[in-house]
Amino acid sequence: MIRVATRPYHPGQADQLIAEGVHPVLARVYAARGLSTARELASELNALYAPAGLLHIDAAASYLADAIAAGKKLVIVADYDCDGATACAVGLRGLRLLGAQVDYIVPNRFEYGYGLTPEIVELTVREKNPDIIVTVDNGIASIDGVAEAKRRGIDVVVTDHHLPGDALPDARVIVNPNQPQCGFPSKNLAGVGVMFYVLLALRAEMRKRGLFDAQTQPRLDSLLDLVALGTVADVVKLDANNRILVAQGLKRMRSGKMHPGIAALFRAAGREARRATPFDLGFAVGPRLNAAGRLADMALGIECLTTDDEGRAWAIAQQLDAINRERRDIEAGMQDTALLLLDDFNPADRRTIAVFDASWHQGVIGIVASRLKDKFYRPTITFAPGDEGFIKGSGRSIAGFHLRDALDLVSKHAPSVMTKFGGHAMAAGLTLHAEAFDAFAEAFEAVGRDWLTQNQLERVIETDGVLEEAYYSVEFIGLMDQQVWGQGFAPPVFCDHFRVLSQRILKDKHLKLQLEKNGRKYDAIWFGHTEALPDHARVAFRLDANEYNGKTTVQLMVEHAEPA
């Protein structure tokens, strides 16, 4: 069931934004997203929250400055997704700029799983022999791994953004906006954002020690293309602080000041970096990088982001593109199987979905969970075989259902079912004994029945209401494109009644339309939809500038349509 609703907003907030010079339509759009002053639209670096607000960041900066001065060997232990890869690249490039001796290791997810485990500590010692381990985008739940590192005389600096469990690891220092007592105003930093902040604090500490001044210090803003990519690809909320990080990264990409690996990934994806958008990062560049961690080895992705050799970057980007094509084929097959397994699934009877198939690929279950969640609008966890009688699950959630908290409740109600779990509100991972699958599915469904109301299980398409005719223009689209839109700061969707003048199906899967209102005609397209519309329809849409034969025209990208 789909319901279209207009986002409420406070007229006083919109009036305040207009008084501060914001376009009247955008003032209404921003007010509906909770903004009340133009200051919250700032995109300059000096508007970022200060690093000092992050708990223990000064201790981390001081400790790392001492380590660099003493010539200690640092090894970054990275996660195997896009956030982990970019955080690793930011850590490597930034620490080297600041004079550190630093290497990295990224565990193969199929052999070692997630986080700093005792096995990964052993591997790191064997291959890299570090004095200090720095985790990026992981570590907050690595109690055993940190203990093993300590036993071997190795200090651990944890930089992470995931939600902590009941206990914290006994690390030398932890920087995580989501750890208890941390008052940092943005809890939504990605792992790459946390690492960037650690570098800012470290540079400030080294400046204080007289190692350089404001003129001679290394330029950390050169890392912002990597920060933007990891932030968007990890689907964290784009609050005011994250929007600044992404805006600055996009600015660098558009002006050609990006690292060779990112430029190569844009080329491999057939996208133009000079017109980079958050959509490109989330749906074109990010998936190609993620494919390495899903099917192969994320070391390939990290090399792409850390090489300064343009030829090498291009060769790797082509490899990543080929891996991503393979990932898409595997995903399509898994999705077909999932739909067969769910053939008798009735959304009216179930609040959640848990599905397992012995043929599935562990690296792709998260994407399949996401697709099923979109189709059925239910919190969904898909499972694939793991090692020695275990199965691994990856989950995606819907608004109002905190997935990690739900798994925490399952573990309390049925303590023997899961061997481990972790994640966020909207995404999580877990491991079960294979024979415990049915018990888990039952316990997960019980939490769903307890937490989710019928209203929450109704997909709501939120719109910004009617758009005045004067603003169906390339100029207004240009104005909207100056803002960073994304997770938690949705791009404007407008809604109106139109007459359907013509419709035809493109490539067997898209509906091409010509719509009319008050004598004005508009081209429109509804991707992934082939059912014909009646003569009069209520249409929810985004505005898009369509370039063809050197001419730019307005096109409506249909999000939903129903009989008027």
Side-chain angles (χ1 to χ4, degrees):
M1 187 67 187
I2 295 176
R3 181 166 58 87
V4 178
T6 305
R7 292 177 190 271
Y9 70 93
H10 194 288
Q13 287 177 307
D15 291 344
Q16 175 61 35
L17 288 162
I18 292 168
E20 293 178 34
V22 175
H23 185 285
V25 175
L26 288 179
R28 182 180 92 213
V29 167
Y30 293 145
R33 284 149 186 77
L35 272 59
S36 54
T37 167
R39 278 198 311 278
E40 295 169 89
L41 298 167
S43 62
E44 294 310 309
L45 278 175
N46 60 13
L48 279 176
Y49 295 130
L54 275 163
L55 185 66
H56 304 321
I57 199 165
D58 291 340
S62 179
Y63 176 75
L64 290 170
D66 289 344
I68 292 169
K72 298 260 178 97
K73 184 178 181 185
L74 280 61
V75 172
I76 293 171
V77 174
D79 188 19
Y80 43 69
D81 66 359
C82 191
D83 186 19
T86 52
C88 183
V90 163
L92 286 169
R93 287 184 174 278
L95 287 166
R96 285 171 184 161
L97 281 173
L98 295 167
Q101 183 192 347
V102 59
D103 200 348
Y104 80 96
I105 194 162
V106 58
N108 183 306
R109 74 194 293 174
F110 309 115
E111 287 180 55
Y112 293 97
Y114 169 78
L116 183 70
T117 60
E119 295 80 10
I120 290 165
V121 172
E122 186 190 337
L123 177 74
T124 307
V125 170
R126 194 168 67 240
E127 293 193 1
K128 305 292 182 181
N129 194 27
D131 297 308
I132 298 160
I133 287 173
V134 179
T135 71
V136 294
D137 192 32
N138 74 91
I140 197 67
S142 302
I143 290 166
D144 294 344
V146 171
E148 176 61 19
K150 276 191 82 169
R151 191 184 71 75
R152 291 170 177 265
I154 300 166
D155 281 349
V156 180
V157 174
V158 169
T159 77
D160 200 355
H161 70 123
H162 292 93
L163 298 169
D166 295 334
L168 296 179
D170 187 19
R172 179 67 191 233
V173 61
I174 298 173
V175 182
N176 180 338
N178 290 303
Q179 68 179 309
Q181 277 82 56
C182 183
F184 192 66
S186 169
K187 300 295 180 186
N188 303 300
L189 279 177
V192 68
V194 176
M195 188 67 228
F196 182 68
Y197 262 86
V198 169
L199 293 172
L200 290 176
L202 173 56
R203 185 179 66 175
E205 173 66 23
M206 295 174 89
R207 209 167 49 229
K208 200 165 77 181
R209 295 182 182 196
L211 295 166
F212 35 67
D213 59 24
Q215 274 65 51
T216 58
Q217 67 182 7
R219 295 292 303 267
L220 295 178
D221 59 346
S222 66
L223 304 171
L224 284 163
D225 57 337
L226 296 163
V227 177
L229 172 57
T231 300
V232 172
D234 212 45
V235 204
V236 291
K237 183 180 179 184
L238 293 186
D239 60 15
N241 208 58
N242 278 339
R243 288 200 303 276
I244 295 169
L245 293 172
V246 174
Q248 288 292 322
L250 289 171
K251 190 171 161 187
R252 293 191 73 82
M253 293 172 200
R254 290 169 186 161
S255 63
K257 295 178 185 170
M258 71 206 108
H259 290 95
I262 288 189
L265 286 165
F266 264 96
R267 270 176 68 200
R271 303 283 178 138
E272 289 185 72
R274 66 184 179 86
R275 299 174 59 195
T277 66
F279 184 87
D280 293 325
L281 302 186
F283 293 93
V285 180
R288 280 164 176 79
L289 201 55
N290 264 329
R294 292 189 187 283
L295 299 190
D297 184 349
M298 190 44 106
L300 192 65
I302 292 170
E303 190 190 344
C304 186
L305 299 178
T306 52
T307 182
D308 291 321
D309 179 331
E310 290 183 13
R312 180 69 186 136
W314 175 235
I316 298 173
Q318 288 175 295
Q319 266 182 279
L320 293 172
D321 188 54
I323 296 168
N324 191 52
R325 283 200 296 275
E326 184 190 349
R327 185 271 303 165
R328 282 202 294 250
D329 290 343
I330 292 170
E331 181 201 329
M334 287 169 62
Q335 219 172 308
D336 289 345
T337 305
L339 292 174
L340 281 173
L341 291 170
L342 294 169
D343 197 32
D344 58 356
F345 177 81
N346 182 357
D349 299 337
R350 301 282 296 181
R351 300 288 167 96
T352 63
I353 294 172
V355 63
F356 163 70
D357 189 84
S359 71
W360 282 351
H361 192 297
Q362 219 185 96
V364 186
I365 47 174
I367 304 177
V368 175
S370 185
R371 301 279 189 262
L372 294 174
K373 180 265 297 178
D374 289 344
K375 181 176 177 61
F376 294 107
Y377 204 66
R378 295 289 184 275
T380 300
I381 303 180
T382 48
F383 291 86
D387 298 326
E388 297 157 9
F390 288 99
I391 59 174
K392 298 209 167 181
S394 186
R396 299 294 183 269
S397 197
I398 62 174
F401 189 84
H402 194 298
L403 195 52
R404 190 205 163 276
D405 287 357
L407 294 179
D408 191 42
L409 195 57
V410 167
S411 77
K412 288 181 170 69
H413 286 173
S416 60
V417 167
M418 287 185 289
T419 56
K420 57 183 174 185
F421 68 92
H424 304 281
M426 302 306 280
L430 62 155
T431 303
L432 312 175
H433 287 287
E435 64 270 19
F437 172 75
D438 290 338
F440 170 80
E442 202 175 299
F444 186 52
E445 174 66 13
V447 176
R449 287 190 177 281
D450 201 31
W451 284 10
L452 287 164
T453 65
Q454 209 53 52
N455 280 352
Q456 286 172 297
L457 295 169
E458 189 178 53
R459 188 194 306 272
V460 178
I461 292 177
E462 292 190 300
T463 81
D464 295 286
V466 172
L467 178 67
E468 295 82 350
E469 282 180 22
Y471 303 124
Y472 285 78
S473 69
V474 173
E475 292 73 27
F476 181 63
I477 293 169
L479 204 57
M480 286 193 294
D481 286 349
Q482 289 170 23
Q483 185 51 262
V484 170
W485 308 99
Q487 182 68 21
F489 197 74
V493 173
F494 301 103
C495 189
D496 212 336
H497 292 83
F498 295 91
R499 191 155 69 93
V500 179
L501 297 181
S502 68
Q503 51 189 318
R504 60 191 169 91
I505 295 168
L506 290 182
K507 298 180 182 175
D508 296 329
K509 53 185 177 182
H510 312 304
L511 193 62
K512 185 85 175 95
L513 301 152
Q514 190 176 52
L515 306 175
E516 181 265 336
K517 180 180 159 80
N518 295 341
R520 291 183 64 173
K521 294 174 185 173
Y522 304 100
D523 287 330
I525 189 161
W526 192 353
F527 286 115
H529 187 92
T530 55
E531 288 173 39
L533 291 178
D535 291 344
H536 293 270
R538 183 184 184 214
V539 181
F541 62 92
R542 288 181 294 110
L543 286 183
D544 179 58
N546 186 34
E547 272 189 37
Y548 185 69
N549 282 346
K551 191 181 174 195
T552 306
T553 56
V554 172
Q555 180 174 244
L556 312 190
M557 311 290 278
V558 178
E559 297 280 316
H560 177 70
E562 58 193 26

